[in-house]
Amino acid sequence: DLWNEEQPAWDLDGKVLYLIDCLFENSDHFMEQMQRWFAEHMPAVSTRIIRPRECWVDDPDMRATIRAQGNAAIIGVGL
């Protein structure tokens, strides 16, 4: 079983988690909601919202920032 309440598989306390807004419609609102959720439920996790220069195009600078300054990332899309 990958999930264990006593010892989560990924400990994000004290870590930087990037929330990637892919620039889809409403994805900015979704990432902001996710950031608020982390602040309320996992305050030891530092979240940063980041956006690529344009939608559907690789952004090497964004990836380099996440790699250099972050510990994990979540890619989010909107509806």
Side-chain angles (χ1 to χ4, degrees), residues 3 5 14 20 23 25 28 37 40 44 47 51 56 61 65 73 76:
W3 185 257
E5 286 295 326
I20 304 171
L23 304 176
E25 184 176 347
D28 55 338
W37 185 92
E40 181 178 340
T47 58
R51 295 168 178 89
W56 293 104
D61 293 334
T65 297

Side-chain angles (χ1 to χ4, degrees), residues 12-58:
L12 294 174
D13 285 358
K15 303 289 189 339
V16 175
L17 172 64
Y18 274 92
L19 304 174
I20 304 171
D21 172 1
C22 291
L23 304 176
F24 295 157
E25 184 176 347
N26 295 319
S27 61
D28 55 338
H29 299 294
F30 178 55
M31 291 292 99
E32 291 164 2
Q33 288 174 346
M34 190 176 294
Q35 189 172 47
R36 285 192 300 271
W37 185 92
F38 273 97
E40 181 178 340
H41 297 281
M42 299 179 73
V45 178
S46 175
T47 58
R48 300 177 187 170
I49 296 174
I50 193 168
R51 295 168 178 89
R53 288 180 299 216
E54 51 186 306
C55 191
W56 293 104
V57 176
D58 182 33

